[in-house]
Amino acid sequence: MTVYTERQEELAGVIDFESSKSDWTDWKWHIRNTIKTVSSFEKALGITFSDRERKKHELTLRKFPLGITPYYLSLIDVEDYKNDPVFLQSFPSPKELVIERCDMTDPLHEDEDSPVPGITHRYPDRVLFHVSNLCSMYCRHCTRKRKVGDQDSIPSKSQLEQGIEYIRNTPQVRDVLLSGGDPLMLSDEKLDWLLTQIREIEHVEVVRIGTRMPVVLPYRITDKLVNMLKKHHPLWVNTHFNHPREVTDSSRRALTKLADAGIPLGNQSVLLAGVNDCPRLIKTLNHKLVKSRVRPYYLYQCDLSEGLSHFRTPVGKGIEIMESLRGHTSGFAVPTYVIDAPGGGGKIPVMPNYIISWASNKVVLRNYEGVITTYTEPESYECNYCDRNCTDCNLQLKEDDAEEKAIGVQKLISDWDETLSLTPEDTERMERNSHVA
Ligand SMILES: *Cc1c(COP(=O)(O)O)cnc(C)c1O
């Protein structure tokens, strides 16, 4: 079984004269030989930039670091590299220095919603835990590109312990999402320690790892790693494929190892102008993913982080893609398209409209083919009035009574909350009324 191509063998020799055959599949060799400078990139691919171009690239790198694994580099089509999706995702563009009015350094307020360093606690029952600040490949479209790769923000062991302590002291947290950087940049031993610590916390029901290793360095998924991970079930892994060209034999092998270890796999793509803003391309990608037992989970609208403006598409492009997926292909090949709201609003799903109209007894809907149809509502639905008294409810959930606290629109539609409207606090009318009270 050939594990690498002729192109990869040739590239290995150019990058590291002393490399041997087994080095290519050794993930640590790739980390040691990661391309970090413009000149080593040129040398490896046999490309020569003009002095002006090189200067521009180097200027960009002073703000946002460069890092490309030899493996990911080997996927670049040198003949047409300027349009190559792998090149565009990994090599800096001078456009990264363009700052638009809407750009922000921390659009998702990950630092503001952070009770202790490294933890973002935005949703009621789950936290994002930044356990590494490094990646094997620095995605040009990274939402955290101002921080990731910065040697000064690498979490220390005591910072990780602080994060674990926060989770331990916060019983609402039932889902812990390890992110970074790339959590698989940690050694197997460190990761094993971390997962053991988190698993020991009784209220934590699931742990997820977000990693791009199956895409950019699939050899990181070793038997040793997978044997360690499977001790910590239920463990989920989400990865980040953006283009069908990234689904190679090597990445398939990595995905197979993970899936065979019983780890449910998801994929989070980012919609990127000039890389994957095409309904047919996303469909092909998703078909390749489900063949490797990876469920397309999210399709993200590109964030408002600084340096990403050239990657952003209009939201309409995402809706167009969703329109061409739902109904046209397997339901499990259809991700949820989300906009991660600036200001820490969290992920908001966006979809084409399928409900056309509504009457007291009927809903009018349209399907993916354009058929307009109706669904008649039941005549005798007995509304289950909910006072949150689950112990006595007919539905036999048999759990303690639910908390009476509700938030958002859920609060408006609930039976047990008297709230009639959600009103912004800072309108002039509200200010006038506050004096009366
Ligand atoms: C995305 C995200 C999560 C996880 O969201 P899911 O919709 O459950 O996948 C959790 N916390 C933060 C801060 C996030 O950005």
Side-chain angles (χ1 to χ4, degrees):
M1 185 169 60
T2 52
V3 285
Y4 58 100
T5 61
E6 255 172 58
R7 167 81 188 118
Q8 293 174 335
E9 185 171 2
E10 178 197 6
L11 194 61
V14 177
I15 292 172
D16 171 11
F17 297 126
E18 297 184 4
S19 68
S20 67
K21 278 209 161 187
S22 59
D23 283 339
W24 188 264
T25 50
D26 171 8
W27 71 277
K28 290 183 177 159
W29 179 86
H30 286 263
I31 301 287
R32 280 197 305 277
N33 289 285
T34 294
I35 303 292
K36 292 184 175 151
T37 63
V38 178
S39 56
S40 57
F41 177 87
E42 288 178 286
K43 184 169 149 258
L45 288 196
I47 291 173
T48 317
F49 296 119
S50 69
D51 286 347
R52 215 170 135 250
E53 283 176 318
R54 195 173 306 115
K55 269 212 188 91
K56 271 191 188 168
H57 293 320
E58 279 163 357
L59 202 63
T60 316
L61 295 196
R62 269 193 239 154
K63 193 159 178 193
F64 305 115
L66 166 72
I68 315 178
T69 58
Y71 164 80
Y72 200 57
L73 191 80
S74 77
L75 306 184
I76 295 177
D77 173 7
V78 181
E79 300 301 314
D80 185 19
Y81 72 89
K82 288 195 173 155
N83 291 312
D84 186 281
V86 173
F87 174 80
L88 292 171
Q89 289 181 73
S90 59
F91 194 79
S93 159
K95 293 181 193 148
E96 292 175 30
L97 299 180
V98 174
I99 298 182
E100 294 202 345
R101 238 171 13 147
C102 60
D103 286 352
M104 293 170 259
T105 38
D106 177 23
L108 309 181
H109 279 202
E110 292 187 325
D111 296 338
E112 245 166 85
D113 288 342
S114 178
V116 296
I119 294 263
T120 304
H121 192 172
R122 164 161 318 137
Y123 297 105
D125 66 342
R126 54 208 188 278
V127 292
L128 192 66
F129 191 2
H130 303 263
V131 297
S132 156
N133 192 49
L134 302 176
C135 289
S136 60
M137 193 283 274
Y138 291 110
C139 302
R140 305 323 297 178
H141 55 277
C142 180
T143 186
R144 304 190 187 118
K145 70 192 282 176
R146 280 306 290 259
K147 271 172 66 185
V148 161
D150 171 10
Q151 300 281 339
D152 297 334
S153 354
I154 298 177
S156 59
K157 185 159 180 190
S158 83
Q159 183 177 324
L160 293 179
E161 279 168 340
Q162 245 184 300
I164 296 165
E165 192 59 25
Y166 176 80
I167 298 168
R168 191 178 291 123
N169 295 331
T170 316
Q172 307 89 288
V173 177
R174 43 162 288 287
D175 174 3
V176 176
L177 207 165
L178 304 186
S179 182
D182 198 314
L184 297 190
M185 285 298 277
L186 300 182
S187 67
D188 293 357
E189 291 69 31
K190 187 108 174 248
L191 204 55
D192 191 16
W193 167 80
L194 187 66
L195 288 166
T196 306
Q197 296 284 308
I198 296 172
R199 273 270 147 251
E200 274 173 9
I201 304 171
E202 219 163 285
H203 55 263
V204 174
E205 297 172 3
V206 285
V207 177
R208 308 188 239 179
I209 296 179
T211 175
R212 211 178 178 196
M213 289 293 190
V215 187
V216 299
L217 183 44
Y219 314 120
R220 174 67 185 95
I221 314 303
T222 60
D223 293 335
K224 181 165 166 266
L225 173 74
V226 166
N227 284 330
M228 181 277 284
L229 292 178
K230 72 182 189 195
K231 291 190 307 186
H232 300 286
H233 272 313
L235 180 78
W236 296 54
V237 166
N238 269 339
T239 184
H240 175 123
F241 287 88
N242 284 331
H243 194 285
R245 281 257 309 279
E246 295 171 331
V247 188
T248 64
D249 286 346
S250 298
S251 60
R252 275 193 207 99
R253 216 166 277 133
L255 297 170
T256 300
K257 278 187 209 276
L258 292 165
D260 284 349
I263 300 173
L265 299 173
N267 187 65
Q268 314 198 151
S269 294
V270 183
L271 186 52
L272 298 170
V275 174
N276 63 5
D277 49 341
C278 160
R280 188 172 179 204
L281 185 152
I282 295 287
K283 188 153 95 178
T284 303
L285 169 66
N286 291 354
H287 288 173
K288 285 190 155 190
L289 290 171
V290 297
K291 273 170 79 181
S292 285
R293 290 180 280 173
V294 181
R295 168 83 157 89
Y297 179 53
Y298 282 139
L299 173 66
Y300 284 97
Q301 174 64 15
C302 188
D303 285 331
L304 296 175
S305 299
E306 245 179 65
L308 305 189
S309 56
H310 60 298
F311 278 129
R312 287 180 210 133
T313 64
V315 173
K317 182 50 80 174
I319 296 182
E320 178 191 336
I321 290 172
M322 297 312 291
E323 182 71 67
S324 69
L325 292 175
R326 175 60 67 195
H328 301 271
T329 189
S330 321
F332 60 62
V334 182
T336 305
Y337 173 45
V338 291
I339 302 181
D340 213 334
K347 296 175 187 75
I348 300 176
V350 184
M351 271 200 290
N353 294 325
Y354 292 99
I355 296 190
I356 291 183
S357 197
W358 223 324
S360 58
N361 64 339
K362 255 188 226 180
V363 189
V364 182
L365 307 144
R366 61 99 180 174
N367 80 346
Y368 73 104
E369 298 164 294
V371 170
I372 295 182
T373 185
T374 54
Y375 178 85
T376 304
E377 306 261 36
E379 269 171 36
S380 58
Y381 175 66
E382 270 183 48
C383 198
N384 215 349
Y385 175 83
C386 175
D387 55 4
R388 313 246 81 188
N389 177 1
C390 297
T391 338
D392 290 342
C393 176
N394 297 339
L395 296 178
Q396 304 200 352
L397 173 63
K398 297 206 191 312
E399 279 190 16
D400 292 345
D401 290 351
E403 258 183 67
E404 277 177 38
K405 216 172 79 198
I407 56 167
V409 175
Q410 177 200 29
K411 178 188 185 107
L412 297 183
I413 59 176
S414 70
D415 293 326
W416 68 90
D417 194 294
E418 304 285 301
T419 310
L420 290 180
S421 57
L422 300 177
T423 318
E425 278 175 13
D426 57 354
T427 65
E428 282 186 24
R429 179 166 68 97
M430 289 304 131
E431 272 167 33
R432 279 194 303 274
N433 291 357
S434 69
H435 300 303
V436 179

